[in-house]
Amino acid sequence: MSRRTEITDVIMGLLQDQMPEVHWSSLITGASRGNKLEGAVSCDRITYLEMTKSGRKGVLTYSIYLLDTASIEGVDALADKLDALLTHYHDLGGWCIDSQVKEIVFGVAQGKADAGMALITYEVYFDC
């Protein structure tokens, strides 16, 4: 099993355990639109950093989607909860060196007052 797969499984387990109100799935790229509150975790990129005496370091860049097509579930609050959760578990229980939420982009459907989508860019730093 690759390091990317292992870390993705850890992230999925954490989100499913701590945010059960969201239907989570793991996808290769992008998210699918459903009729309920959906969440998706997608590892989009692996970047390798400098080589040191102790080895090489890498960064996994994830896109984490929260989708609520009806815009009624409070995606803003869920994105805040997700940010706090990932910040609290920054080392993913020892599976990585560190991690951080880099950005949250919100989407609002025309005619709606509240966000129906959030795209969270999440970086995980690990030893190769």
Side-chain angles (χ1 to χ4, degrees), residues 57-101:
K57 308 246 184 273
V59 180
L60 298 168
T61 302
Y62 286 88
S63 293
I64 302 175
Y65 300 85
L66 290 171
L67 299 167
D68 176 22
T69 56
S71 298
I72 58 173
E73 294 292 335
V75 168
D76 290 340
L78 287 171
D80 288 344
K81 180 179 179 179
L82 182 58
D83 178 39
L85 176 66
L86 294 174
T87 299
H88 180 73
Y89 292 101
H90 64 93
D91 69 347
L92 298 173
W95 280 91
C96 66
I97 299 168
D98 202 4
S99 67
Q100 66 177 327
V101 171

Short mmCIF file of all heavy atoms in Angstrom, two decimals, residues 57-101:
data_model
loop_
_atom_site.label_atom_id
_atom_site.label_comp_id
_atom_site.label_asym_id
_atom_site.label_seq_id
_atom_site.Cartn_x
_atom_site.Cartn_y
_atom_site.Cartn_z
N LYS A 57 11.54 14.34 1.96
CA LYS A 57 10.25 14.73 2.52
C LYS A 57 9.27 14.95 1.37
O LYS A 57 9.67 15.28 0.25
CB LYS A 57 10.38 16.02 3.32
CG LYS A 57 11.48 15.98 4.37
CD LYS A 57 10.91 16.05 5.75
CE LYS A 57 11.99 16.11 6.80
NZ LYS A 57 12.48 14.84 7.23
N GLY A 58 8.00 14.76 1.65
CA GLY A 58 6.98 14.94 0.63
C GLY A 58 5.78 15.70 1.16
O GLY A 58 5.59 15.82 2.38
N VAL A 59 4.99 16.21 0.24
CA VAL A 59 3.75 16.91 0.58
C VAL A 59 2.63 16.31 -0.27
O VAL A 59 2.73 16.24 -1.50
CB VAL A 59 3.83 18.43 0.28
CG1 VAL A 59 2.52 19.12 0.65
CG2 VAL A 59 5.00 19.07 0.99
N LEU A 60 1.60 15.84 0.41
CA LEU A 60 0.38 15.39 -0.27
C LEU A 60 -0.60 16.55 -0.24
O LEU A 60 -0.88 17.09 0.83
CB LEU A 60 -0.24 14.19 0.45
CG LEU A 60 0.61 12.93 0.52
CD1 LEU A 60 0.00 11.94 1.50
CD2 LEU A 60 0.72 12.30 -0.85
N THR A 61 -1.11 16.95 -1.39
CA THR A 61 -2.09 18.04 -1.45
C THR A 61 -3.46 17.43 -1.72
O THR A 61 -3.66 16.76 -2.74
CB THR A 61 -1.72 19.06 -2.54
OG1 THR A 61 -0.42 19.58 -2.27
CG2 THR A 61 -2.72 20.21 -2.56
N TYR A 62 -4.36 17.67 -0.79
CA TYR A 62 -5.72 17.14 -0.88
C TYR A 62 -6.72 18.25 -1.19
O TYR A 62 -6.56 19.38 -0.73
CB TYR A 62 -6.14 16.50 0.45
CG TYR A 62 -5.50 15.18 0.72
CD1 TYR A 62 -4.28 15.10 1.37
CD2 TYR A 62 -6.12 14.00 0.33
CE1 TYR A 62 -3.68 13.88 1.62
CE2 TYR A 62 -5.52 12.78 0.58
CZ TYR A 62 -4.32 12.72 1.22
OH TYR A 62 -3.73 11.50 1.46
N SER A 63 -7.75 17.87 -1.93
CA SER A 63 -8.94 18.70 -2.05
C SER A 63 -10.02 17.98 -1.26
O SER A 63 -10.29 16.80 -1.49
CB SER A 63 -9.38 18.84 -3.51
OG SER A 63 -8.43 19.58 -4.24
N ILE A 64 -10.59 18.68 -0.30
CA ILE A 64 -11.69 18.12 0.49
C ILE A 64 -12.92 18.95 0.17
O ILE A 64 -12.94 20.17 0.35
CB ILE A 64 -11.38 18.14 2.00
CG1 ILE A 64 -10.09 17.35 2.27
CG2 ILE A 64 -12.56 17.59 2.79
CD1 ILE A 64 -9.62 17.40 3.71
N TYR A 65 -13.94 18.28 -0.35
CA TYR A 65 -15.15 18.96 -0.78
C TYR A 65 -16.28 18.73 0.22
O TYR A 65 -16.46 17.62 0.71
CB TYR A 65 -15.64 18.40 -2.12
CG TYR A 65 -14.66 18.53 -3.25
CD1 TYR A 65 -13.66 17.58 -3.46
CD2 TYR A 65 -14.73 19.61 -4.13
CE1 TYR A 65 -12.77 17.69 -4.51
CE2 TYR A 65 -13.84 19.72 -5.19
CZ TYR A 65 -12.87 18.76 -5.37
OH TYR A 65 -11.98 18.87 -6.41
N LEU A 66 -17.04 19.76 0.49
CA LEU A 66 -18.31 19.66 1.19
C LEU A 66 -19.36 20.19 0.22
O LEU A 66 -19.26 21.32 -0.24
CB LEU A 66 -18.32 20.51 2.46
CG LEU A 66 -17.46 20.04 3.61
CD1 LEU A 66 -17.39 21.10 4.70
CD2 LEU A 66 -18.01 18.75 4.19
N LEU A 67 -20.36 19.36 -0.10
CA LEU A 67 -21.38 19.74 -1.07
C LEU A 67 -22.77 19.56 -0.47
O LEU A 67 -23.10 18.48 0.00
CB LEU A 67 -21.28 18.87 -2.33
CG LEU A 67 -19.99 18.94 -3.12
CD1 LEU A 67 -19.93 17.79 -4.12
CD2 LEU A 67 -19.89 20.25 -3.84
N ASP A 68 -23.54 20.61 -0.52
CA ASP A 68 -24.94 20.55 -0.11
C ASP A 68 -25.75 21.24 -1.19
O ASP A 68 -25.85 22.47 -1.23
CB ASP A 68 -25.14 21.25 1.24
CG ASP A 68 -26.60 21.30 1.66
OD1 ASP A 68 -27.39 20.46 1.17
OD2 ASP A 68 -26.95 22.17 2.47
N THR A 69 -26.32 20.46 -2.10
CA THR A 69 -27.01 21.04 -3.25
C THR A 69 -28.22 21.87 -2.85
O THR A 69 -28.59 22.79 -3.56
CB THR A 69 -27.44 19.94 -4.24
OG1 THR A 69 -28.25 18.98 -3.56
CG2 THR A 69 -26.23 19.26 -4.84
N ALA A 70 -28.80 21.59 -1.69
CA ALA A 70 -29.96 22.36 -1.23
C ALA A 70 -29.55 23.61 -0.44
O ALA A 70 -30.39 24.45 -0.13
CB ALA A 70 -30.87 21.49 -0.38
N SER A 71 -28.29 23.73 -0.09
CA SER A 71 -27.76 24.87 0.68
C SER A 71 -28.51 25.08 1.99
O SER A 71 -28.83 26.20 2.37
CB SER A 71 -27.79 26.15 -0.15
OG SER A 71 -26.97 26.05 -1.28
N ILE A 72 -28.81 23.98 2.70
CA ILE A 72 -29.56 24.11 3.95
C ILE A 72 -28.80 23.55 5.16
O ILE A 72 -29.24 23.70 6.29
CB ILE A 72 -30.94 23.42 3.86
CG1 ILE A 72 -30.79 21.94 3.52
CG2 ILE A 72 -31.84 24.12 2.88
CD1 ILE A 72 -32.07 21.15 3.57
N GLU A 73 -27.68 22.90 4.94
CA GLU A 73 -26.98 22.22 6.02
C GLU A 73 -25.93 23.06 6.74
O GLU A 73 -25.27 22.59 7.65
CB GLU A 73 -26.32 20.93 5.50
CG GLU A 73 -27.30 19.88 5.05
CD GLU A 73 -28.09 19.28 6.20
OE1 GLU A 73 -27.61 19.30 7.34
OE2 GLU A 73 -29.19 18.79 5.94
N GLY A 74 -25.73 24.30 6.34
CA GLY A 74 -24.75 25.14 7.02
C GLY A 74 -23.32 24.76 6.65
O GLY A 74 -22.52 24.44 7.53
N VAL A 75 -23.02 24.81 5.36
CA VAL A 75 -21.68 24.44 4.89
C VAL A 75 -20.61 25.33 5.52
O VAL A 75 -19.51 24.87 5.81
CB VAL A 75 -21.62 24.48 3.34
CG1 VAL A 75 -20.20 24.39 2.82
CG2 VAL A 75 -22.47 23.35 2.76
N ASP A 76 -20.93 26.61 5.78
CA ASP A 76 -19.97 27.50 6.44
C ASP A 76 -19.52 26.92 7.78
O ASP A 76 -18.33 26.84 8.08
CB ASP A 76 -20.56 28.89 6.68
CG ASP A 76 -20.77 29.68 5.40
OD1 ASP A 76 -20.15 29.35 4.39
OD2 ASP A 76 -21.56 30.63 5.44
N ALA A 77 -20.49 26.53 8.59
CA ALA A 77 -20.19 25.98 9.92
C ALA A 77 -19.46 24.64 9.81
O ALA A 77 -18.55 24.36 10.59
CB ALA A 77 -21.47 25.84 10.73
N LEU A 78 -19.85 23.81 8.85
CA LEU A 78 -19.18 22.53 8.65
C LEU A 78 -17.73 22.72 8.21
O LEU A 78 -16.84 21.99 8.64
CB LEU A 78 -19.93 21.67 7.63
CG LEU A 78 -21.24 21.07 8.11
CD1 LEU A 78 -21.99 20.44 6.95
CD2 LEU A 78 -20.99 20.04 9.20
N ALA A 79 -17.48 23.71 7.37
CA ALA A 79 -16.10 24.00 6.95
C ALA A 79 -15.26 24.46 8.14
O ALA A 79 -14.10 24.06 8.27
CB ALA A 79 -16.09 25.05 5.84
N ASP A 80 -15.85 25.27 9.01
CA ASP A 80 -15.14 25.69 10.22
C ASP A 80 -14.85 24.50 11.12
O ASP A 80 -13.76 24.38 11.69
CB ASP A 80 -15.97 26.72 11.01
CG ASP A 80 -16.01 28.08 10.35
OD1 ASP A 80 -15.19 28.34 9.45
OD2 ASP A 80 -16.88 28.88 10.74
N LYS A 81 -15.82 23.60 11.25
CA LYS A 81 -15.64 22.39 12.07
C LYS A 81 -14.53 21.51 11.48
O LYS A 81 -13.67 21.00 12.21
CB LYS A 81 -16.96 21.62 12.14
CG LYS A 81 -16.90 20.35 12.97
CD LYS A 81 -18.25 19.66 13.02
CE LYS A 81 -18.18 18.37 13.82
NZ LYS A 81 -19.48 17.70 13.90
N LEU A 82 -14.54 21.37 10.16
CA LEU A 82 -13.52 20.58 9.48
C LEU A 82 -12.13 21.19 9.66
O LEU A 82 -11.16 20.49 9.96
CB LEU A 82 -13.87 20.46 8.01
CG LEU A 82 -12.95 19.64 7.13
CD1 LEU A 82 -12.84 18.21 7.63
CD2 LEU A 82 -13.46 19.65 5.71
N ASP A 83 -12.03 22.50 9.54
CA ASP A 83 -10.76 23.20 9.75
C ASP A 83 -10.25 22.97 11.17
O ASP A 83 -9.08 22.64 11.37
CB ASP A 83 -10.94 24.70 9.47
CG ASP A 83 -9.68 25.50 9.71
OD1 ASP A 83 -8.57 25.03 9.39
OD2 ASP A 83 -9.80 26.62 10.24
N ALA A 84 -11.11 23.13 12.16
CA ALA A 84 -10.72 22.92 13.55
C ALA A 84 -10.29 21.47 13.80
O ALA A 84 -9.31 21.20 14.50
CB ALA A 84 -11.86 23.31 14.49
N LEU A 85 -11.00 20.53 13.22
CA LEU A 85 -10.69 19.11 13.37
C LEU A 85 -9.31 18.77 12.79
O LEU A 85 -8.48 18.15 13.45
CB LEU A 85 -11.77 18.27 12.68
CG LEU A 85 -11.55 16.76 12.65
CD1 LEU A 85 -11.63 16.20 14.06
CD2 LEU A 85 -12.58 16.11 11.75
N LEU A 86 -9.07 19.22 11.57
CA LEU A 86 -7.79 18.93 10.92
C LEU A 86 -6.63 19.67 11.60
O LEU A 86 -5.51 19.16 11.64
CB LEU A 86 -7.86 19.27 9.43
CG LEU A 86 -8.81 18.39 8.62
CD1 LEU A 86 -8.91 18.91 7.19
CD2 LEU A 86 -8.40 16.93 8.65
N THR A 87 -6.90 20.85 12.14
CA THR A 87 -5.87 21.59 12.87
C THR A 87 -5.53 20.87 14.18
O THR A 87 -4.37 20.76 14.55
CB THR A 87 -6.33 23.04 13.14
OG1 THR A 87 -6.55 23.68 11.88
CG2 THR A 87 -5.31 23.82 13.92
N HIS A 88 -6.56 20.36 14.86
CA HIS A 88 -6.35 19.64 16.11
C HIS A 88 -5.54 18.36 15.89
O HIS A 88 -4.65 18.02 16.68
CB HIS A 88 -7.69 19.33 16.77
CG HIS A 88 -7.57 18.59 18.05
ND1 HIS A 88 -7.14 19.18 19.22
CD2 HIS A 88 -7.80 17.29 18.35
CE1 HIS A 88 -7.11 18.28 20.19
NE2 HIS A 88 -7.51 17.12 19.68
N TYR A 89 -5.86 17.62 14.84
CA TYR A 89 -5.17 16.37 14.52
C TYR A 89 -4.11 16.60 13.44
O TYR A 89 -4.02 15.86 12.47
CB TYR A 89 -6.17 15.31 14.05
CG TYR A 89 -7.10 14.84 15.13
CD1 TYR A 89 -8.40 15.33 15.22
CD2 TYR A 89 -6.68 13.92 16.07
CE1 TYR A 89 -9.25 14.91 16.23
CE2 TYR A 89 -7.53 13.47 17.08
CZ TYR A 89 -8.82 13.98 17.15
OH TYR A 89 -9.66 13.56 18.14
N HIS A 90 -3.27 17.62 13.63
CA HIS A 90 -2.32 18.05 12.61
C HIS A 90 -1.29 16.99 12.23
O HIS A 90 -0.76 17.00 11.12
CB HIS A 90 -1.60 19.33 13.04
CG HIS A 90 -0.77 19.15 14.26
ND1 HIS A 90 0.56 18.83 14.18
CD2 HIS A 90 -1.08 19.19 15.58
CE1 HIS A 90 1.03 18.71 15.41
NE2 HIS A 90 0.06 18.91 16.28
N ASP A 91 -1.02 16.03 13.11
CA ASP A 91 -0.08 14.96 12.75
C ASP A 91 -0.81 13.66 12.40
O ASP A 91 -0.17 12.62 12.21
CB ASP A 91 0.95 14.72 13.84
CG ASP A 91 0.38 14.10 15.10
OD1 ASP A 91 -0.87 14.06 15.25
OD2 ASP A 91 1.16 13.66 15.96
N LEU A 92 -2.12 13.72 12.30
CA LEU A 92 -2.97 12.57 11.95
C LEU A 92 -2.63 11.34 12.79
O LEU A 92 -2.52 10.24 12.29
CB LEU A 92 -2.86 12.26 10.45
CG LEU A 92 -3.35 13.36 9.52
CD1 LEU A 92 -3.05 13.01 8.06
CD2 LEU A 92 -4.84 13.63 9.71
N GLY A 93 -2.48 11.59 14.07
CA GLY A 93 -2.20 10.48 14.99
C GLY A 93 -0.84 9.86 14.79
O GLY A 93 -0.66 8.67 15.06
N GLY A 94 0.13 10.63 14.32
CA GLY A 94 1.47 10.13 14.11
C GLY A 94 1.75 9.62 12.70
O GLY A 94 2.84 9.15 12.41
N TRP A 95 0.78 9.71 11.79
CA TRP A 95 0.94 9.23 10.43
C TRP A 95 1.73 10.19 9.55
O TRP A 95 2.16 9.83 8.46
CB TRP A 95 -0.41 8.94 9.79
CG TRP A 95 -0.96 7.63 10.22
CD1 TRP A 95 -1.77 7.40 11.29
CD2 TRP A 95 -0.71 6.37 9.63
NE1 TRP A 95 -2.04 6.06 11.39
CE2 TRP A 95 -1.41 5.41 10.37
CE3 TRP A 95 0.03 5.95 8.53
CZ2 TRP A 95 -1.38 4.06 10.05
CZ3 TRP A 95 0.04 4.61 8.22
CH2 TRP A 95 -0.66 3.68 8.98
N CYS A 96 1.89 11.44 10.00
CA CYS A 96 2.62 12.41 9.19
C CYS A 96 3.41 13.34 10.11
O CYS A 96 3.23 13.33 11.32
CB CYS A 96 1.67 13.21 8.30
SG CYS A 96 0.53 14.29 9.19
N ILE A 97 4.28 14.15 9.50
CA ILE A 97 5.07 15.11 10.26
C ILE A 97 4.17 16.24 10.74
O ILE A 97 4.20 16.64 11.90
CB ILE A 97 6.20 15.70 9.39
CG1 ILE A 97 7.15 14.60 8.93
CG2 ILE A 97 6.94 16.80 10.12
CD1 ILE A 97 8.11 15.04 7.83
N ASP A 98 3.37 16.77 9.84
CA ASP A 98 2.48 17.90 10.13
C ASP A 98 1.51 18.04 8.98
O ASP A 98 1.68 17.42 7.92
CB ASP A 98 3.30 19.19 10.29
CG ASP A 98 2.58 20.26 11.09
OD1 ASP A 98 1.47 19.99 11.61
OD2 ASP A 98 3.12 21.37 11.21
N SER A 99 0.49 18.85 9.17
CA SER A 99 -0.46 19.15 8.11
C SER A 99 -1.11 20.49 8.39
O SER A 99 -1.04 20.99 9.52
CB SER A 99 -1.53 18.05 8.03
OG SER A 99 -2.34 18.06 9.19
N GLN A 100 -1.72 21.06 7.36
CA GLN A 100 -2.42 22.32 7.55
C GLN A 100 -3.45 22.55 6.46
O GLN A 100 -3.26 22.14 5.32
CB GLN A 100 -1.44 23.49 7.60
CG GLN A 100 -0.71 23.77 6.31
CD GLN A 100 0.18 24.99 6.41
OE1 GLN A 100 -0.13 25.93 7.12
NE2 GLN A 100 1.30 24.97 5.71
N VAL A 101 -4.53 23.20 6.87
CA VAL A 101 -5.52 23.67 5.90
C VAL A 101 -4.93 24.94 5.29
O VAL A 101 -4.59 25.87 6.01
CB VAL A 101 -6.88 23.96 6.58
CG1 VAL A 101 -7.82 24.65 5.62
CG2 VAL A 101 -7.48 22.66 7.11
#
